[in-house]
Amino acid sequence: MRESLSELQQLVVNAATEKKASNIILLDLRNRTDLTDYFLICSGNSKVQVQAIADNILEKTSGTPYDAVAQEGYQQGNWVILDLGDMIVHIFLQEVRTHFDLERLWGDVPVIAAMSE
């Protein structure tokens, strides 16, 4: 499923794709939580790739209205969380993503976009 993406959504999807993120999924949380409007979830194959995906997203959003307000987990590189205000980005090592299974946890929210590689 794919609808027209907002500027922020497209910016983050493109930045993740540039660093070969896999299994990108964008969830619409607007009617479920006040925490954020969207989750973007993606995977990397190594800690270095997870960090590279995070770095690229941070670089592409820096100086824009979507500049990150917080980040967590970068040093460990297993699960990096970037808070971009309207969107929270979760970048996982694949085995960590499988373990926490956020897609199942939020399985009843609309999927805006899903891209696999």
Side-chain angles (χ1 to χ4, degrees):
M1 168 185 275
R2 186 167 182 152
E3 65 181 46
S4 181
L5 299 181
S6 73
E7 181 181 6
L8 170 60
Q9 293 163 350
Q10 194 64 60
L11 184 69
V12 174
V13 166
N14 289 347
T17 302
E18 285 176 7
K19 295 300 178 182
K20 308 294 186 215
S22 59
N23 300 320
I24 300 170
I25 187 167
L26 184 59
L27 303 177
D28 184 345
L29 303 176
R30 289 176 292 182
N31 294 322
R32 284 291 309 276
T33 181
D34 292 332
L35 178 65
T36 190
D37 291 341
Y38 303 98
F39 273 178
L40 182 127
I41 304 169
C42 64
S43 301
N45 294 319
S46 68
K47 292 178 181 182
V48 171
Q49 185 184 18
V50 167
Q51 291 168 332
I53 294 165
D55 287 339
N56 203 41
I57 292 169
L58 291 170
E59 179 182 321
K60 301 293 184 182
T61 58
S62 179
T64 73
Y66 317 115
D67 210 354
V69 295
Q71 63 178 324
E72 207 50 57
Y74 183 88
Q75 292 298 345
Q76 296 80 11
N78 296 315
W79 178 2
V80 177
I81 302 169
L82 305 175
D83 185 346
L84 305 176
D86 291 341
M87 178 189 295
I88 295 178
V89 179
H90 299 269
I91 310 162
F92 287 99
L93 275 177
Q94 186 56 52
E95 56 269 20
V96 176
R97 181 176 180 171
T98 300
H99 176 76
F100 286 99
D101 200 6
L102 290 185
E103 292 93 331
R104 183 186 55 75
L105 180 65
W106 293 97
D108 61 337
V109 301
V111 175
I112 296 175
M115 295 144 270
S116 297
E117 235 182 83

